[in-house]
Amino acid sequence: MQAIVFDDFGGPEVLVAREVPTPEVRPHDLLVRNASIGVNRADLLHRKGAYGRAYFGDADTMGLEIAGAVVAVGPLVRGFAVGDRVMGIVGGGAYAELSRIDHRMAMHVPEGLGLVAAGAVAEVFVTAHEALFHLANLQAGESVLIHAAAGGVGSAAVQLAKAAGARVFCTASGDKRDAVLGFGADVFIDYRSEDFAAVVAQATDSKGVDVVVDFIGAPYLERNVRSLAVGGRMVAVGLLGGAQGATLPMDAVLYRHLRIFGTVMKSRPPEVKQAMVQRFAERWLPALAAGAIRPVIDSTYPLADAALAHSRMESGVNVGKILLLPGAA
């Protein structure tokens, strides 16, 4: 089968298509013929060497999420059969024509959702659900500030927060305003020309928001914390702006009774990732089937053009998910 590999860490140009063996099916595995493969920032880090030559449970090649049709099942699989349309999260090995996935991290694709679109669901919506609800315990009537709201996880988080009845503040570049408002944002903040902390303070009569979901890291930490209301919760999901040089205002943490969480999926044990997938599926698959939430697709590329997909993500211009399509020319 064809897969995307690299011999040396580096830029997008190191990614090449090569014939590799088909994965062996283990007892809990589904073997899936991929129709759609999600591109994630973790893939860029993998390519650059951030994880070394690590093995993440399913393969040492890159790629975290897939959608496609089941072509084989292991003897301990329950609830899935050959021919089923599935989507889910893998521990590596998504960038290929065929991938194996533990059935406990797979979900049935709802009727009415195409397999290409389904490739844009699992990683971003599971991550967004984990941050907003499992960790931050966002409730109807509360307010949330979501940074990088035009990206994959950001666009999913905006939709989930809005569907849950929250007031949603979002940051992104001004050219993405219409898209982010279309996801359900109530207040859009252009991070290039506006101070999000000042906007939040003005819009909340200086009370602050109940939850912050942050992808930026150190440059935003102090303002994030000072934007939280009493009892507020912040979840750190990414470090797009770096991890060094942050100032944590301990007075705000102490006197406002704040909580700060961090979450990352790639390095978590399989049982933890399985629980994350199931929590999302139980709450949100009906909404996905009904069209109340939807995957946001920026662009698609043939599998062999993975380098171009990585270049687009690194440019920062995408709105929503970038997908790879095996078999596309």
Side-chain angles (χ1 to χ4, degrees):
M1 69 171 186
Q2 187 182 71
I4 299 300
V5 300
F6 57 89
D7 297 319
D8 299 296
F9 300 123
E13 69 279 357
V14 304
L15 301 178
V16 295
R18 188 174 295 164
E19 289 295 318
V20 302
T22 299
E24 294 184 7
V25 178
R26 302 164 300 191
H28 286 282
D29 281 342
L30 309 174
L31 185 64
V32 177
R33 183 168 298 281
N34 295 330
S36 180
I37 300 158
V39 177
N40 292 282
R41 290 201 172 273
D43 304 340
L44 277 58
L45 294 173
H46 188 177
R47 188 201 74 224
K48 294 175 182 177
Y51 311 118
R53 292 289 181 183
Y55 180 80
F56 292 103
D58 293 312
D60 56 6
T61 51
M62 70 172 58
L64 299 176
E65 63 181 325
I66 60 171
V70 177
V71 297
V73 298
L76 298 183
V77 168
R78 300 292 181 268
F80 296 91
V82 171
D84 284 356
R85 301 185 328 136
V86 299
M87 58 187 180
I89 295 169
V90 297
Y95 282 30
E97 292 179 306
L98 294 159
S99 298
R100 61 184 181 186
I101 179 172
D102 188 304
H103 76 281
R104 293 163 294 190
M105 291 175 63
M107 298 172 279
H108 289 282
V109 176
E111 291 295 328
L113 181 64
L115 280 178
V116 169
V121 172
E123 182 76 14
V124 295
F125 276 98
V126 169
T127 299
H129 172 82
E130 194 73 6
L132 287 169
F133 304 106
H134 184 66
L135 294 176
N137 193 31
L138 181 68
Q139 300 293 315
E142 290 190 321
S143 56
V144 57
L145 170 63
I146 299 169
H147 292 298
V153 180
S155 61
V158 175
Q159 293 184 69
L160 295 185
K162 188 66 175 178
R167 185 185 186 194
V168 185
F169 294 75
C170 293
T171 68
S173 57
D175 57 307
K176 299 174 181 178
R177 177 186 300 272
D178 290 345
V180 173
L181 291 173
F183 303 150
D186 295 294
V187 179
F188 178 88
I189 304 166
D190 183 348
Y191 76 89
R192 292 175 175 168
S193 61
E194 298 177 278
D195 178 355
F196 70 81
V199 174
V200 167
Q202 182 177 22
T204 63
D205 294 327
S206 297
K207 293 179 180 178
V209 293
D210 299 292
V211 173
V212 172
V213 177
D214 181 60
F215 302 86
I216 309 304
Y220 279 14
L221 178 61
E222 182 171 6
R223 284 185 291 160
N224 280 336
V225 170
R226 294 202 183 281
S227 295
L228 284 169
V230 173
R233 295 85 71 193
M234 187 187 98
V235 184
V237 183
L239 295 169
L240 292 174
Q244 303 302 317
T247 298
L248 178 63
M250 289 302 300
D251 57 332
V253 174
L254 182 67
Y255 294 115
R256 296 187 193 176
H257 312 288
L258 305 181
R259 287 170 283 172
I260 301 174
F261 304 89
T263 184
V264 64
M265 186 183 298
K266 189 178 181 75
S267 58
R268 305 294 285 277
E271 59 272 16
V272 175
K273 291 192 280 190
Q274 292 163 16
M276 293 168 71
V277 171
Q278 293 308 311
R279 283 192 286 267
F280 166 77
E282 289 171 6
R283 179 164 182 177
W284 294 108
L285 277 189
L288 189 64
I293 59 175
R294 60 182 177 84
V296 178
I297 298 172
D298 172 82
S299 52
T300 63
Y301 293 84
L303 177 62
D305 289 341
L308 295 177
H310 276 219
S311 294
R312 180 166 180 83
M313 178 166 280
E314 288 184 330
S315 75
V317 299
N318 62 294
V319 175
K321 290 289 292 187
I322 299 170
L323 301 175
L324 298 175
L325 307 181

